[in-house]
Amino acid sequence: MRFGCAWYPEHWPRQRWAEDLRLMRDCGMNTVRIGEFAWSRMEPVDGRFALDWLGEAIDLAASFGIDSVLCTPSATPPAWLTSAHPEVLAVRADGRPEVHGMRCHYRPGSPLYRWFCKRINSALAERFGQHPAVLGWQIDNEHWQRSHDPDTLARFAEWCRARYGSLDALNDAWSASYWSQEYSDWSQLHAPPGSPNPGLRLAWHRFSTALTAEFQAGQVQTLRERIAQRQWITHNFHPHDDLDRAGLVDGLDFASWDAYAVDGPSFDPAQLAVEVERIRSLTPSRKVWIMETQPGSVNWKGTSNPTMQPGELRAAAWHMAAHGAEAVLYWQWRSAPGGQEQYHGTVVAQDGHPRPHYTEIARIGEEFKRLTTLLDQSAPVHPVAVIDRWADRFAIKHQRHHHQFDPAAHVRSWYAAVQRQGLSADLVERLGDQRPWSVVIAPQVHLADQPTIDRLRAFVIGGGHLLIGPRSCFKDDENALLAQRQPGPLSDLAGAQADDFYALETPVPLGGELGEGTASIFAERIGQVEREVAVWARYGQGHGWLAGQPAIIHRPTGKGSLTWCACWPDQELQRRLIARISRLAGIESSLIPPDGVTIVHRRGESGSFRVFINHTAQPQQVELGAVATERLSGTTASNLVLAPWDVAVVG
Amino acid sequence: MRFGCAWYPEHWPRQRWAEDLRLMRDCGMNTVRIGEFAWSRMEPVDGRFALDWLGEAIDLAASFGIDSVLCTPSATPPAWLTSAHPEVLAVRADGRPEVHGMRCHYRPGSPLYRWFCKRINSALAERFGQHPAVLGWQIDNEHWQRSHDPDTLARFAEWCRARYGSLDALNDAWSASYWSQEYSDWSQLHAPPGSPNPGLRLAWHRFSTALTAEFQAGQVQTLRERIAQRQWITHNFHPHDDLDRAGLVDGLDFASWDAYAVDGPSFDPAQLAVEVERIRSLTPSRKVWIMETQPGSVNWKGTSNPTMQPGELRAAAWHMAAHGAEAVLYWQWRSAPGGQEQYHGTVVAQDGHPRPHYTEIARIGEEFKRLTTLLDQSAPVHPVAVIDRWADRFAIKHQRHHHQFDPAAHVRSWYAAVQRQGLSADLVERLGDQRPWSVVIAPQVHLADQPTIDRLRAFVIGGGHLLIGPRSCFKDDENALLAQRQPGPLSDLAGAQADDFYALETPVPLGGELGEGTASIFAERIGQVEREVAVWARYGQGHGWLAGQPAIIHRPTGKGSLTWCACWPDQELQRRLIARISRLAGIESSLIPPDGVTIVHRRGESGSFRVFINHTAQPQQVELGAVATERLSGTTASNLVLAPWDVAVVG
Amino acid sequence: MRFGCAWYPEHWPRQRWAEDLRLMRDCGMNTVRIGEFAWSRMEPVDGRFALDWLGEAIDLAASFGIDSVLCTPSATPPAWLTSAHPEVLAVRADGRPEVHGMRCHYRPGSPLYRWFCKRINSALAERFGQHPAVLGWQIDNEHWQRSHDPDTLARFAEWCRARYGSLDALNDAWSASYWSQEYSDWSQLHAPPGSPNPGLRLAWHRFSTALTAEFQAGQVQTLRERIAQRQWITHNFHPHDDLDRAGLVDGLDFASWDAYAVDGPSFDPAQLAVEVERIRSLTPSRKVWIMETQPGSVNWKGTSNPTMQPGELRAAAWHMAAHGAEAVLYWQWRSAPGGQEQYHGTVVAQDGHPRPHYTEIARIGEEFKRLTTLLDQSAPVHPVAVIDRWADRFAIKHQRHHHQFDPAAHVRSWYAAVQRQGLSADLVERLGDQRPWSVVIAPQVHLADQPTIDRLRAFVIGGGHLLIGPRSCFKDDENALLAQRQPGPLSDLAGAQADDFYALETPVPLGGELGEGTASIFAERIGQVEREVAVWARYGQGHGWLAGQPAIIHRPTGKGSLTWCACWPDQELQRRLIARISRLAGIESSLIPPDGVTIVHRRGESGSFRVFINHTAQPQQVELGAVATERLSGTTASNLVLAPWDVAVVG
């Protein structure tokens, strides 16, 4: 288990370094991420490299037992570079060029910029590629680059030509006869304007992803040719979903995540689990690092930047570790005197002394160290998988129909229901050839590409239990409506299709054998159902077109089944639905935890155990059913008592 | 009575057309609008026309008994045109050029663009101008074009020179000595910046209207020279009030309206009546078509896009027909696979099968067909007129003083009060020589141009009963303050003038012989009143400057009278005020309907009858006073029972 | 005491002037401000001056006993100037040039623009510099000019070179190693982008201030060389804090203020006092004019523009006069027919007749005239000073951490607490050598520059009682974090330092010897306190990191003391804290007025008296303790009864 922080030695006088490293070691840290934005110090003058200070920092850290993750500095080109070559700076959608002083403000497609990146990366790799204390490399920082400059637009036209082959095919894919949008020459293509064609918008999104992937691939190659095999390469993704992460991992050993409580004062346990699991499944290694997380508050929220309450940092760290994170690194170690993020939370304050939560961080460090074997030699075991694709999120996000249909919140609501049932789930882009789950939830497989459909059908026909949500299979892979109603190519397995769909001004009651509940935000009206279909819930009175119609239907198929939840139900009804399907699939969830308590089962060489986390400010009790050992405290009991934000490792 | 939809055959394979037309015919449709955005299919290559497909579509429709309205395609120039001639694209207020893929994004003043429009329109008119199944033509789509390019700015200077004659006159009209704005050369004129001179702003608004009117006039001429006399020409206006519609109808046979529930989940019965009546009065023909209306939901609302409840489509269609609409066309027939409006409501779904509300639409179609003679040979008869001018709305909208003083909502509030009194009203730009109304409401005749004032004075002196609202005659026709207080040149008829006016933070009580009520948002303090003036309401306590002062005053003038309501009262007080004036004018309104029920009286060769519509989700009863026949059901009763959203045609 | 208005004779025909001046005289006015935006009338053609009309207006006013303040017209260059020389127009942050028709839209750094200003100002000064009826001059209007043009950016680089000496020093001051922002050439410097480095942002703010100061200094010089010594020079500042006013007064005889109720329907008595006192202390003369204030409503509020209730204008005028204003001038006299501010409140309406509040204004005029000696020969005497610096406000405003931490509101809350204790306070940029106060409140001395720290230390050590608030001494003068925790260099005097600080989602209870209360928005956790420190308040339960920790501490130092309030308490607790410190300092505040009543003590040759103002809509009573004379009414009583918005001058 790796534990550490982002350290920027370039902000501090050399004589301070040892004290910082001592404080890191004392709170159990064994890893620093380093060099991320330091290009101006690595190459202060065009072509003149200055890497000695970096070597000294790495060596000094190693002398404290702290290994380094080294970053390529491409997110922040130096002023000498951008002032001599302003054509490497991105152009925004409104036509204004980016200026020096920001991050990730370059054109990822610029050959010149790639040349400069290759030169500095080569120097870094040659110098540190064999360094024993360098664990691996991070490429750039939190990809989100897009540019609207003419060269990039020309690349977009090339990309379209390669994807569609002909303008006829492109016009057809984008339904370009709509509003006379048909293109008669490749040079007419442009980036999306304010309210663009959905086909164009998705294509531009994919192109922007591909351009950054190409930019990253060049960096990976530069490193691979120079670094030791044991050094790995990763990238740290972040909560904004501007690019499709699934298209940005080729060549990486694993993907990393920057975990911040974006939507509220605390981490949401479903959101955090979804994020960690989603990133973990991006590469075959099924590894994930938390490359950044907040020690206390952040500084960039529009309203206020509250801190984590005592215990919250520990709950979050253990939650991420339970879900597979092999490292938890805080951002950042110490407040830099200047720069854009003076108010961001840190481990030690501007004066170099620990903040109050240092003690809690030290406790996490101690626990991770003590249980490192248990964690390192096990992995989460989830009986359920949730399918979650950025392309679906992207398509829904820009055409929500109801503004509260946030596709990320929709996925999260299903994950939270899984957690309330005492279970946990993998988050996957697609079903692979191996399908270790008997229950798969596909809350919003919106773009019905053929491989996805084939795999879902194979899963059901092969005996799996599939739950699909509203808006399923509404469009094809080019963001065009299918000439079928939802759930399109799954309709035969569902035994029904949608008559229509509605944005809901007010919640609509649900009733039936799953009990009472409500549907909100969005609902589909299921038409005629086939004979073998069981109606598990119907809409009640309140919406004239929905009243009395099926809302959740279930159709068995041999050993498997397809269940279609045609609306967004409340969380308790979601939980009951998952419980029902899980029972059909033979999944035992003997433990229904109190609200706010999550359970993750891990298994491996180090044994089988469960991690219980109380994500609430109140104490909680869990009846284990049998006497068991809690590994952190070493105590034994059948009734687990969790203090506020407490963690228990049982089994 | 025409009933139909917008049909885009160019989106679908030819073999599908017949099935769509059959489904249209089966729900009672007899009209399609066609060709609106199809330029890229009509002229796929510069100068090469391809109109056979259009002819085939029109012919096939005719074979199903469906006539066509044909559109000039100028709203959406093809990519070959805008890429070869980017100078035809509009420039936005922020200096950025528009890009391909939008609608109405051209420069209406561009001679080159007009040349291209003339060429395609000529080809269309020559091909279809004598076609027996083509009823008429729609020019372009929903005018709102404005451009800030240098050529348009030069045209603006020319327009100003023609309007004002000299810079001295312009500087004087715009009070340009304010902030040293005085122009010393025509080339110094520019479009309004962020917070402009009101005179400049109104002039730019009028110029933009005139430029589009000129653009439209060119298209009308091209068509007129080529089409049969029985084919008419119209334009479809839409709810956004960017341009002055009264300036955009020259040369049209009648104006059309695109009716959408912009402000709420349902149509507001006052808003819809105001819109239909306003458009109807734009041309001497007093005809209006509903060229578009929503079958279910729309897709462009910021919050959510709820559908119409069962019955609402029927209530809205009959409401519009009662108010004079000679056609109701749904937008659109079927969801196109791609394009910007995938989520908009349609009659049949993406798979080509009817949506649930198809049955309701078919009922409307059947009813319209059955009662077509009754409707076609009658017209609405309104005892009241409301004066409503876009120039007034424009001036107030940009200087509201209280942000809730939405001038459209203000007009609507008075119309709703008329409806609550069981009456209905015409909406007119001005009083003509014939004045068939004994009561005229002028809620906000704000810009006191001389002809308007002359006509209002003549109306009162000739025995009419005029009700004026707050902000009346506050400015001259150049958006400059009059050197008189409200109601300016009507003060002698009113017998008083305003001491001052106030934005109201909180409502102020009203009391007097009209009963108790409240005034909100805006109130004028009426000063000394002349002897013959009756004070119908006074402000109560709460606002120091208003307390005890007259709020509504009435002054008889021979057989007529002028009533000045110097504030925005609540709706019930508005109704009582209208009731009082109507009684004076001898208007009988024996029937005060329940809230949410509207009554429109129609008369003509087919007789005299009233259309009752229940715009609520609750059943309503209306006591007719005498036994009468309901034409839709054929039943007879003296007590009308209306189901939710129900319609009755009585008499 | 000066009383008057802004008069724009250029808007009106000459034959109207006498009537306006008569109406002014009749309501007690003795002063007009004139010529402010009249450049296009003063110099209608490049180099051809037309000042006769202005001379006639000044002379005619003088004949009514009304003196003039004359303005340089540089805020509004004529169209002939900006169209011939568009390079004098400012460029906005988004790169778009400003256009003609606005105010203050020029580049203050443009040598060409300065040349034009010098020419017109010379002509004005030569013509009117000896005029007996011209009291003095106002430079430009409400400075806020900033420009992003290339010339200004080059000036910024020069300014930085002068300030920092070397790029190394600049990079160090701005912590530019953060995100590789380090500059290697002066030409790389640029204006702040969207989310800039705090060091760059503050430097740009200071540079923009300096550039405008230089622009103003040129105008001052032009005038000084030509005007009589008795004519003074001022500038009218306004409520928006875009530039640092403390850097904009060099060369002025005194600063003026444009007093508007920006944040609510009425003037806030604390806000208004803070503003007047803040401007008054800007120059050694300790004079301040209210160059503009609203007669009734304004026209630029986003929501609504309510008027002042009867009596409010009088309360506000007396409040400003009590706090040292030597003049109160209304903006403006009469509504201009056109221009951007048609709806702004005026003294007489668009028709040239008085508005209802004219009577109240006449009462103020009469009272000011009657008590002019009393006012002219006295000045406010404040036992307390509040330190308030724009640089602190600027730094906090752009990094609030909690969006409700408005630095202006924070200062205001402390001033309001002083008022509730029956006291009043000076507002100062810094402590001078003379320190006439025994209590000094420094709510947010955020940027710890050495002179400020030195003076604060000297004050405490010299026996003063200093109260500091949260966020004190958090940063250095370059907006970089100190390597010390709050209160940095004052920690030894405080006897403690902050462990950490927190944005508060919800209020936190406070308790201790000051009684119960709450802290909101922002709180610092005070760590270990030294032995001699008294803990006056502690945080209660609710926030895990704060519970039980000191919140307000007090440390005596010889005869003086330092009190640290580490949070933003409720107003009653603020009052109790100030009462406690005042008692220690020997300040008597025998009179605790009812909420909403303020007391200002004035003293001078004309004697010693107190001004009581009731800022509420309810009557209020104040027990004076002894019989005293009320000067306005001439009555005598020991119990003062104040009607709503009433004023009393006692003693």
Side-chain angles (χ1 to χ4, degrees), chain A residues 194, chain B residues 90-98 146-148:
Chain B
V91 171
R92 300 196 289 194
D94 65 4
R96 295 162 58 198
E98 296 281 358
R146 281 152 304 174
S147 180
H148 291 71

Short mmCIF file of all heavy atoms in Angstrom, two decimals, chain A residues 194, chain B residues 90-98 146-148:
data_model
loop_
_atom_site.label_atom_id
_atom_site.label_comp_id
_atom_site.label_asym_id
_atom_site.label_seq_id
_atom_site.Cartn_x
_atom_site.Cartn_y
_atom_site.Cartn_z
N GLY A 194 -22.45 26.74 -30.69
CA GLY A 194 -23.18 26.72 -29.42
C GLY A 194 -24.16 25.58 -29.26
O GLY A 194 -24.18 24.92 -28.24
N ALA B 90 -23.85 36.00 -40.81
CA ALA B 90 -23.98 37.12 -39.87
C ALA B 90 -22.80 37.17 -38.92
O ALA B 90 -22.10 36.17 -38.70
CB ALA B 90 -25.28 36.98 -39.07
N VAL B 91 -22.57 38.35 -38.38
CA VAL B 91 -21.57 38.55 -37.34
C VAL B 91 -22.34 38.91 -36.07
O VAL B 91 -23.24 39.75 -36.09
CB VAL B 91 -20.60 39.68 -37.72
CG1 VAL B 91 -19.70 40.05 -36.55
CG2 VAL B 91 -19.77 39.26 -38.92
N ARG B 92 -22.01 38.23 -34.99
CA ARG B 92 -22.73 38.45 -33.75
C ARG B 92 -22.31 39.75 -33.07
O ARG B 92 -21.30 40.36 -33.43
CB ARG B 92 -22.48 37.28 -32.80
CG ARG B 92 -22.95 35.98 -33.44
CD ARG B 92 -23.07 34.89 -32.43
NE ARG B 92 -21.76 34.47 -31.98
CZ ARG B 92 -21.57 33.35 -31.29
NH1 ARG B 92 -22.59 32.58 -30.96
NH2 ARG B 92 -20.35 33.01 -30.93
N ALA B 93 -23.06 40.13 -32.06
CA ALA B 93 -22.77 41.38 -31.36
C ALA B 93 -21.36 41.36 -30.76
O ALA B 93 -20.73 42.40 -30.60
CB ALA B 93 -23.80 41.63 -30.26
N ASP B 94 -20.84 40.18 -30.44
CA ASP B 94 -19.50 40.12 -29.86
C ASP B 94 -18.41 40.03 -30.91
O ASP B 94 -17.25 39.83 -30.58
CB ASP B 94 -19.39 38.96 -28.86
CG ASP B 94 -19.53 37.60 -29.53
OD1 ASP B 94 -19.63 37.54 -30.78
OD2 ASP B 94 -19.53 36.59 -28.82
N GLY B 95 -18.78 40.18 -32.18
CA GLY B 95 -17.79 40.21 -33.24
C GLY B 95 -17.45 38.86 -33.84
O GLY B 95 -16.70 38.78 -34.80
N ARG B 96 -18.01 37.79 -33.27
CA ARG B 96 -17.70 36.46 -33.81
C ARG B 96 -18.66 36.13 -34.95
O ARG B 96 -19.86 36.33 -34.85
CB ARG B 96 -17.79 35.41 -32.72
CG ARG B 96 -16.75 35.61 -31.64
CD ARG B 96 -17.09 34.87 -30.36
NE ARG B 96 -17.25 33.47 -30.60
CZ ARG B 96 -17.89 32.64 -29.77
NH1 ARG B 96 -18.42 33.12 -28.65
NH2 ARG B 96 -18.00 31.37 -30.03
N PRO B 97 -18.11 35.59 -36.04
CA PRO B 97 -19.00 35.22 -37.15
C PRO B 97 -19.80 33.96 -36.81
O PRO B 97 -19.33 33.10 -36.07
CB PRO B 97 -18.04 34.96 -38.30
CG PRO B 97 -16.74 34.63 -37.66
CD PRO B 97 -16.71 35.32 -36.33
N GLU B 98 -20.98 33.88 -37.33
CA GLU B 98 -21.76 32.65 -37.21
C GLU B 98 -21.11 31.54 -38.03
O GLU B 98 -20.35 31.81 -38.96
CB GLU B 98 -23.20 32.89 -37.70
CG GLU B 98 -23.97 33.90 -36.88
CD GLU B 98 -24.51 33.29 -35.59
OE1 GLU B 98 -24.31 32.09 -35.36
OE2 GLU B 98 -25.14 34.04 -34.82
N ARG B 146 -30.05 39.33 -37.17
CA ARG B 146 -29.39 40.62 -37.02
C ARG B 146 -27.90 40.37 -37.20
O ARG B 146 -27.41 39.31 -36.85
CB ARG B 146 -29.63 41.20 -35.62
CG ARG B 146 -31.00 41.84 -35.50
CD ARG B 146 -31.48 41.79 -34.10
NE ARG B 146 -31.47 40.41 -33.64
CZ ARG B 146 -31.72 40.04 -32.40
NH1 ARG B 146 -31.99 40.93 -31.49
NH2 ARG B 146 -31.70 38.76 -32.06
N SER B 147 -27.21 41.32 -37.77
CA SER B 147 -25.78 41.13 -38.01
C SER B 147 -25.03 42.41 -37.67
O SER B 147 -25.55 43.51 -37.87
CB SER B 147 -25.53 40.73 -39.46
OG SER B 147 -24.14 40.55 -39.68
N HIS B 148 -23.83 42.24 -37.15
CA HIS B 148 -23.00 43.38 -36.77
C HIS B 148 -21.78 43.52 -37.68
O HIS B 148 -20.75 44.04 -37.25
CB HIS B 148 -22.55 43.23 -35.30
CG HIS B 148 -23.67 43.39 -34.33
ND1 HIS B 148 -24.66 42.46 -34.19
CD2 HIS B 148 -23.98 44.40 -33.47
CE1 HIS B 148 -25.52 42.87 -33.26
NE2 HIS B 148 -25.14 44.03 -32.83
#
